[in-house]
Amino acid sequence: MEEEEEDPSTKPLGRLSVFYYGVGHMLNDITASCWFTYLLLFLTQIGLSPRDAAIVMLSGQVADGFATIFIGELIDRFGHFKIWHAAGSLLVAISFSSVFGGCLPCSLLHNNSSTIETLSYSMFAAIFNIGWAATQVSHMAMVNCITLNSTSRVALTSSRNAFSMVANLGLYAIALVVFGVSEAVTKENTESQYRWIAYSSITVGCCFVVIFLMGTKEPRLRINLRETSRARIPWSYWFRKILYYQVAMVYLLTRLVLNVSQAYLAFFVIDDLQMAQSAKALIPAIIYVCSFVVSVMLQEIPWNGKRLKAYYCAGGIIWIFCGISILLLPRSINSYMYAISVFIGIANAVMLVTSISMQSVLIGSKLGGCAFVCGSLSFLDKMSCGLALYVLQSHQGTSPKVDVNIKEYFYFSVTRYGLGLVPAVCSLVGVVVTYFMELDSTILKPLCQPLLLE
């Protein structure tokens, strides 16, 4: 046991290592936040039908899903995490502005047909998501090659999630300013609004990518471990493990909770609750402030398998109650959405940090397959989210009107189902699957330097 504690690979990490790693996904996070929060809203505002908007979203998700598998395999074979991260970030920066920058082929062909618009946005969405996948898989897989200490792995994941919240808050701050100073009267005004949001997001995200690349060293743990640990692990090894399927299910459900709810939050706030335009930036901001605080707090806990399970279940139960509240929330008391958003933020942080950390428990010291695990789980996430959003969006506007109050009418709309029912059901299933998991119960030491002031 003493020899194991002296092994550098199991020593707890310092504060700077955790910080530099944490900022590495901010470009992905700020662009993904814009993607899930505003893409469907933007496309429908410029005239695309809900089904065409769903096709654009689906094309990006499918490209992302297949790219994660392919890129994960290449990373396992050749390594070089930072090169993949830098290349993916460059592709994201170049392509993202085109997603929200208007229809380039329409301008070249002088044809504004909906078919050409849909094809154009779908093409740029696919390119953007391929770059996004390269950055995501390389960054996620690095966690397992930086350290074998399970508590430090959770700290790295928590740091990443905390800065993800910072990125999301940055997006909503940018959006709040843009929506406040400009008015979308015409299609051109709308495209201009979102173009400014995209350019600003890319600029902020790229600054943090540079900090990550300068401050983080290429992980050497994979090279320094015993040959049996660093040898490439065949795919069949993971498919024989029950824990792989359990972790995959929990991660998939967690991503469905976060992404589907985020995609329909702005719609619900504006269309169903008829709140002020500023609420479509303010309510998401509250969610991410709460998630940031919780993510930082999670870094101070000595982690083991039982605690991962307990915290995930707690987050899932909170989301179930939030989903029920959203389903039953009438327009007359829409201000309660601010209170609900606080609990959504807490649940999001707890569920995401613990579900990603379960991947590290699954991988353990089998570093030769870490990128495949991250890539395959991400593939399931992208495909399921893309299909779920396509199905929901295809039925947008077909929901019947239901009388739930003599004085009040409101729709049990697709938006309400997407924000309330789908996340609640996914959380319930995730809690059940987590309950039956068997995770390692060993507690390793926390960070050698606390991230919170004592």
Side-chain angles (χ1 to χ4, degrees):
M1 187 68 177
E2 290 180 2
E3 290 180 5
E4 207 172 301
E5 290 180 351
E6 292 175 0
D7 186 350
S9 64
T10 62
K11 286 184 178 179
L13 296 176
R15 166 192 331 228
L16 276 179
S17 298
V18 175
F19 169 80
Y20 285 133
Y21 173 82
V23 302
H25 207 251
M26 282 192 67
L27 175 61
N28 264 24
D29 289 327
I30 197 168
T31 53
S33 179
C34 190
W35 170 268
F36 283 108
T37 304
Y38 295 127
L39 180 66
L40 294 176
L41 190 64
F42 164 70
L43 294 175
T44 52
Q45 283 182 347
I46 63 172
L48 264 66
S49 69
R51 185 178 292 274
D52 287 343
I55 289 173
V56 175
M57 173 72 79
L58 181 61
S59 67
Q61 295 299 109
V62 171
D64 194 341
F66 282 103
T68 55
I69 292 287
F70 183 67
I71 292 168
E73 175 65 15
L74 291 177
I75 291 175
D76 278 335
R77 286 180 180 271
F78 305 111
H80 303 295
F81 296 99
K82 290 179 66 176
I83 293 178
W84 283 101
H85 185 283
S89 298
L90 181 63
L91 192 57
V92 167
I94 292 173
S95 63
F96 185 67
S97 60
S98 299
V99 177
F100 288 94
C103 178
L104 182 60
C106 296
S107 301
L108 296 176
L109 299 174
H110 303 290
N111 188 336
N112 292 321
S113 71
S114 60
T115 301
I116 293 178
E117 283 190 316
T118 303
L119 289 174
S120 172
Y121 286 116
S122 297
M123 177 185 67
F124 284 114
I127 295 171
F128 160 67
N129 275 277
I130 291 171
W132 202 96
T135 304
Q136 182 200 33
V137 174
S138 58
H139 194 257
M140 286 180 66
M142 280 181 73
V143 170
N144 308 291
C145 296
I146 291 174
T147 178
L148 292 179
N149 184 293
S150 61
T151 295
S152 290
R153 283 178 170 181
V154 177
L156 290 169
T157 303
S158 299
S159 177
R160 166 185 165 149
N161 195 54
F163 283 105
S164 173
M165 302 307 110
V166 172
N168 281 274
L169 286 171
L171 170 73
Y172 294 123
I174 292 168
L176 199 59
V177 172
V178 172
F179 292 140
V181 300
S182 63
E183 190 174 349
V185 179
T186 65
K187 178 180 177 179
E188 289 71 23
N189 295 148
T190 301
E191 290 177 346
S192 178
Q193 279 186 332
Y194 287 98
R195 190 179 298 116
W196 275 109
I197 293 173
Y199 289 157
S200 302
S201 300
I202 292 168
T203 302
V204 172
C206 285
C207 292
F208 285 99
V209 169
V210 172
I211 294 173
F212 164 79
L213 293 174
M214 293 179 63
T216 305
K217 297 179 180 179
E218 182 71 24
R220 304 295 299 173
L221 180 56
R222 178 177 180 147
I223 299 173
N224 295 335
L225 288 178
R226 297 185 306 276
E227 185 67 29
T228 55
S229 295
R230 65 184 174 90
R232 181 174 169 272
I233 307 297
W235 294 7
S236 58
Y237 170 82
W238 303 109
F239 295 149
R240 292 194 298 267
K241 294 174 71 72
I242 294 177
L243 186 60
Y244 173 82
Y245 297 99
Q246 292 174 321
V247 171
M249 178 63 72
V250 169
Y251 181 72
L252 181 155
L253 292 167
T254 301
R255 285 296 187 181
L256 275 173
V257 170
L258 271 65
N259 293 339
V260 174
S261 64
Q262 186 175 10
Y264 284 102
L265 182 61
F267 281 110
F268 180 69
V269 166
I270 299 301
D271 295 338
D272 287 56
L273 297 185
Q274 294 190 346
M275 301 176 74
Q277 288 291 320
S278 60
K280 67 182 179 183
L282 186 57
I283 286 180
I286 293 173
I287 291 174
Y288 289 111
V289 166
C290 296
S291 291
F292 172 78
V293 173
V294 173
S295 296
V296 173
M297 293 173 65
L298 291 175
Q299 296 175 39
E300 305 306 310
I301 300 172
W303 287 95
N304 65 3
K306 289 183 178 179
R307 288 185 179 176
L308 284 176
K309 291 173 60 175
Y311 275 73
Y312 183 88
C313 290
I317 291 170
I318 292 173
W319 234 120
I320 291 170
F321 283 106
C322 290
I324 294 171
S325 300
I326 289 168
L327 281 174
L328 302 178
L329 184 65
R331 188 178 297 162
S332 58
I333 53 172
N334 56 21
S335 58
Y336 278 85
M337 191 62 202
Y338 291 105
I340 294 172
S341 64
V342 172
F343 291 99
I344 290 176
I346 295 170
N348 282 354
V350 173
M351 292 176 70
L352 185 58
V353 169
T354 52
S355 64
I356 294 177
S357 298
M358 289 174 189
Q359 295 182 35
S360 296
V361 175
L362 169 65
I363 293 167
S365 60
K366 302 294 184 182
L367 304 184
C370 61
F372 168 75
V373 171
C374 295
S376 61
L377 268 56
S378 185
F379 169 79
L380 296 174
D381 148 39
K382 305 305 178 186
M383 297 300 291
S384 61
C385 287
L387 290 172
L389 289 171
Y390 177 79
V391 171
L392 288 168
Q393 191 67 10
S394 295
H395 291 86
Q396 184 74 281
T398 62
S399 304
K401 203 171 191 179
V402 179
D403 184 3
V404 297
N405 189 304
I406 294 175
K407 299 179 180 179
E408 182 95 20
Y409 285 84
F410 75 91
Y411 287 100
F412 267 120
S413 61
V414 169
T415 302
R416 194 178 288 267
Y417 288 136
L419 183 60
L421 182 62
V422 173
V425 172
C426 291
S427 298
L428 176 60
V429 178
V431 168
V432 172
V433 174
T434 300
Y435 179 80
F436 290 101
M437 274 187 190
E438 293 184 9
L439 298 177
D440 179 34
S441 60
T442 304
I443 298 180
L444 291 178
K445 294 183 293 184
L447 297 174
C448 59
Q449 296 170 313
L451 297 180
L452 294 176
L453 295 176
E454 295 181 350

